[in-house]
Structure formats: C-alpha cells, structure tokens
Amino acid sequence: MTSTKGYAAISAKSELKPYAFDRRDLRVDDVGFRIDYSGICHSDIHQVREEWGEAIFPMVPGHEIVGTVTSVGANVTRFKIGERIGVGVFIDSCRKCNNCLNGLQQYCLEGMTGTYNGYERDTKQIAFGGYSNYFVIPESYAYKLPENLDMAAMAPLLCAGITLYSPLKKWKVGPASSVAVAGLGGLGHMGVKFAAALGAKVTVLSHSDSKENDARSFGASDFINTSKKDWHLGYRKHFDLILNTVSAQVDLEPYLSTLATDGSLVVIGLPGAPYSVSAGSLLDGRRSVAGSKIGGVPETQEMLDFCGDKNIVCEVEVISADHINKAYERTISSDVRYRFVIDCSTF
Ligand code: NAP
Ligand code: ZN
Ligand code: ZN
C-alpha cells in the first residue's frame, strides 16, 4: 500500500478537506504514478453535491489526471519510469462486451468503472480520484501524453477535451460544417478549439457578452448572447450541429429552431433534471436530439495525439489544494477562464 494525500468531500453538504488514504499495491499490469496536475470538472461539483442522486462518501473527486510514472508492474510494456501519463473518467471496464471490444469503454454494457464515486472492479474498495498525489491504474486504461505540451494545460483534455472531440468526430465535422458550441466553459472552449482545427465555421452561444473576445481567440467566427430576447430569430435553420455543454437547465426550443435540415443537437451538459422537447421542433427539418459521453480508450489517445500535432491545449488557472472550495464557487458562477487545475504537489 502507498500512503496518499488528497482532498475529499465527507458529505454533500460539507466543503472538501485534506484526506489521507492508501492506494493498492501494483499488480503485474499496473502503473503507479505521481499525480502532477488534476483538473476540476463541473461534473465533480454535480457529483460531490449529489445533484445526480446517489453519491459515495468519502469522495476524492478528479478525473482529469496527468502525472509522471514512478513504478511499473512486471507485465507493463507501454510505460517506463519517468514518462508522462494521463488518466480520464474511467479506470476499468468489463473488457469483454461488444462496446469494450470496439473501443467504446465509456459505454461498457456492464458499466464503466468510474475514476471516483464508484468501486474498484475487483477489490470493491471505493475508487478515489485525482485530487491526490499518487495513482495506480491498469496500463491499458492510461494514456501516453504528447511531450511538446505543457502538463497543467493538458490535464483537462482527459475529460473536457475528449468529451467535445468525440461528438465532433461522430458527426463528421469538417470544413463544410457550421457548428455551434453552447456554454463557453471548460468543455465548451475545447469544443471551439477542436471544431476550428477541423475547419468548421464555429459560433459560440454564451449567456453574457463577457466571453466574446476569448471565443474569437479560440477560433469562433460568430458569437451570440443567449440572454438577449429572441436571440435565435436571426439564426433559423442555421447550424448543422449544436454541442450543448451548458451545466444548467436551459430551454432547448430556441436552440432547436436554429438547427438546419437534418441537424443535431448533442446534449453534453448534465444539469440533473430532464429536458423537454416539442415534437414539432424535431419533425420540422428532421432534426435530432442526441447525447454523447466522454470517449473510449482509442479515441482518447487519438485526441491527445491530435493535440500534440496541432499544439492544442486548454486554457487553465493553476491553483493550490487549499483553493479547491473557492474554485468550485467560481466555476458555478461561470467565473473560470477556462479550467481550474490543481497543482498536486500542494496536497
Ligand atoms: P463549466 O466550466 O462550469 O461550463 C459550463 C458553462 O455553462 C458555463 O461556462 C456557462 O457558459 C454555461 N452556464 C453555466 N450556468 C449557466 C446558466 N445558469 N445559464 C446559462 N448558461 C450557463 O462546466 P464544464 O466542466 O464545461 O461542464 C459542463 C457540463 O458538462 C456539466 O454539466 C458537466 O457535468 C457535463 N459533462 C458532461 C460530460 C459528458 O461526457 N457528456 C463530461 C464532462 C462534463 P457561458 O458563460 O458561455 O454561458
Ligand atoms: Zn469531467
Ligand atoms: Zn464492457
């Protein structure tokens, strides 16, 4: 066992506090690593505060993890001590269902094993996430990180990055596409960067004017403030794809009216309450509402390699561990440019 320091929530009502625990010993196919940086995803906040229902406490959140390998099991072939390593939203899956065999581990038919707020597949111990200074993972669920990118700025790629990359690929976005990204937060800003890198025309749908300059600097050519009345009227049947990353409940109807024929609105934000959609909005123009959850192992590695090739990283604000609770409040009030990342040497 390796003693590990981190931060945990003890209940949905309490602030996160310093928390010490043990990581299991390495098995033959495991990699042990020092966590260097860990991103703060809005999902961590939903989860800690039980906005999605049942939560498992104590909870050490964190599923945007980058670090440096410190030990390897006897059968490990992909990683060496001293190399960079990344871990995302899951640490294991059944490895035998059709989805796992097709590289869609996030849709494992038995359920993916989450990086936290779940139980490790075999030991049945609570899985503790990345707000900590040491991690153990089977090598086939870890990622190689590009050497040319800043470590802290890469951490959010492991969730925010792959979650936007995957639907852009699934819906075959390219130079002919008109893509809207709703919500310019941790996820949304990566959607803008990726869609622009794929050659699409990108519009940001944001609920204030404050992020317009940033949106354009990330590659958007158009910016709409959705808090303005009737914002959608000038964009009827306009977008091929809308990626909705908004973390709060919004009325989807105005967004649907801006979808072109055969356009899709992909639900990515998870506010916790159901959306309502009128049949007429879907029938007119054969529109679709779809969903997308992170990405599988091969696609996550592809996304990281793409970022290395194109020099794409996240915009981050690095904080020490004692700023986590404050960072939660600022994230909720959309006051983050564009992802908080914890320096894990401060645990
Ligand atoms: P975030 O950084 O907090 O960004 C969310 C954005 O939503 C904000 O920046 C803001 O953008 C907009 N927003 C927030 N409150 C709003 C309100 N009251 N009205 C209108 N717009 C509002 O969050 P994130 O980490 O990107 O995560 C976004 C959502 O995706 C969360 O619900 C998270 O749980 C979910 N998520 C899903 C997946 C998946 O696999 N599908 C993966 C990770 C996270 P503007 O200021 O531009 O309006
Ligand atoms: Zn996340
Ligand atoms: Zn499976």
Side-chain angles (χ1 to χ4, degrees), residues 153-174:
M154 263 192 295
L157 295 175
L158 278 308
C159 174
I162 183 58
T163 300
L164 275 287
Y165 183 86
S166 185
L168 289 167
K169 287 286 166 166
K170 166 77 185 162
W171 273 269
K172 300 189 175 15
V173 164

Side-chain angles (χ1 to χ4, degrees), residues 177-245:
S177 318
S178 177
V179 176
V181 176
L184 195 66
L187 268 58
H189 91 290
M190 292 316 300
V192 175
K193 289 190 180 199
F194 285 142
L198 294 168
K201 181 177 179 340
V202 189
T203 301
V204 166
L205 311 178
S206 191
H207 78 303
S208 77
D209 283 324
S210 65
K211 298 176 180 172
E212 177 162 0
N213 288 343
D214 289 346
R216 293 189 190 278
S217 75
F218 302 149
S221 55
D222 217 346
F223 183 92
I224 303 173
N225 178 346
T226 56
S227 69
K228 290 196 174 138
K229 192 172 176 293
D230 295 338
W231 63 267
H232 55 291
L233 296 181
Y235 292 86
R236 280 188 73 243
K237 305 195 174 180
H238 191 83
F239 303 117
D240 302 311
L241 182 68
I242 301 175
L243 301 177
N244 175 21
T245 75

Side-chain angles (χ1 to χ4, degrees), residues 69-308:
V69 175
T70 51
S71 51
V72 291
N75 294 347
V76 167
T77 57
R78 288 175 55 235
F79 293 94
K80 292 196 181 65
I81 292 173
E83 284 184 349
R84 297 171 157 204
I85 184 169
V87 171
V89 179
F90 51 88
I91 50 172
D92 209 342
S93 64
C94 85
R95 307 177 186 213
K96 54 185 193 303
C97 74
N98 273 345
N99 286 348
C100 283
L101 295 176
N102 287 317
L104 296 169
Q105 292 83 356
Q106 77 275 37
Y107 304 125
C108 173
L109 298 177
E110 286 186 10
M112 65 178 198
T113 308
T115 305
Y116 70 88
N117 199 49
Y119 297 93
E120 289 191 2
R121 230 177 162 79
D122 35 14
T123 66
K124 309 294 177 211
Q125 301 291 312
I126 295 179
F128 291 128
Y131 296 10
S132 57
N133 59 6
Y134 176 70
F135 209 82
V136 176
I137 178 112
E139 70 162 336
S140 50
Y141 287 81
Y143 305 101
K144 307 279 280 185
L145 301 178
E147 287 297 325
N148 56 321
L149 303 179
D150 178 72
M151 281 291 265
M154 263 192 295
L157 295 175
L158 278 308
C159 174
I162 183 58
T163 300
L164 275 287
Y165 183 86
S166 185
L168 289 167
K169 287 286 166 166
K170 166 77 185 162
W171 273 269
K172 300 189 175 15
V173 164
S177 318
S178 177
V179 176
V181 176
L184 195 66
L187 268 58
H189 91 290
M190 292 316 300
V192 175
K193 289 190 180 199
F194 285 142
L198 294 168
K201 181 177 179 340
V202 189
T203 301
V204 166
L205 311 178
S206 191
H207 78 303
S208 77
D209 283 324
S210 65
K211 298 176 180 172
E212 177 162 0
N213 288 343
D214 289 346
R216 293 189 190 278
S217 75
F218 302 149
S221 55
D222 217 346
F223 183 92
I224 303 173
N225 178 346
T226 56
S227 69
K228 290 196 174 138
K229 192 172 176 293
D230 295 338
W231 63 267
H232 55 291
L233 296 181
Y235 292 86
R236 280 188 73 243
K237 305 195 174 180
H238 191 83
F239 303 117
D240 302 311
L241 182 68
I242 301 175
L243 301 177
N244 175 21
T245 75
V246 176
S247 53
Q249 195 72 11
V250 289
D251 177 8
L252 290 187
E253 291 294 327
Y255 294 85
L256 289 172
S257 74
T258 67
L259 278 180
T261 306
D262 283 329
S264 300
L265 181 148
V266 182
V267 174
I268 294 170
L270 270 162
Y275 286 112
S276 101
V277 173
S278 77
S281 302
L282 298 179
L283 304 188
D284 185 20
R286 203 162 54 184
R287 297 170 172 129
S288 307
V289 174
S292 186
K293 181 167 103 172
I294 43 176
V297 171
E299 196 170 51
T300 303
Q301 189 61 60
E302 177 188 308
M303 177 272 311
L304 289 163
D305 297 344
F306 179 80
C307 289

Side-chain angles (χ1 to χ4, degrees), residues 24-31 72-77 137-139:
R24 65 177 159 78
D25 291 331
L26 259 56
R27 302 192 195 102
V28 288
D29 63 348
D30 280 340
V31 181
V72 291
N75 294 347
V76 167
T77 57
I137 178 112
E139 70 162 336

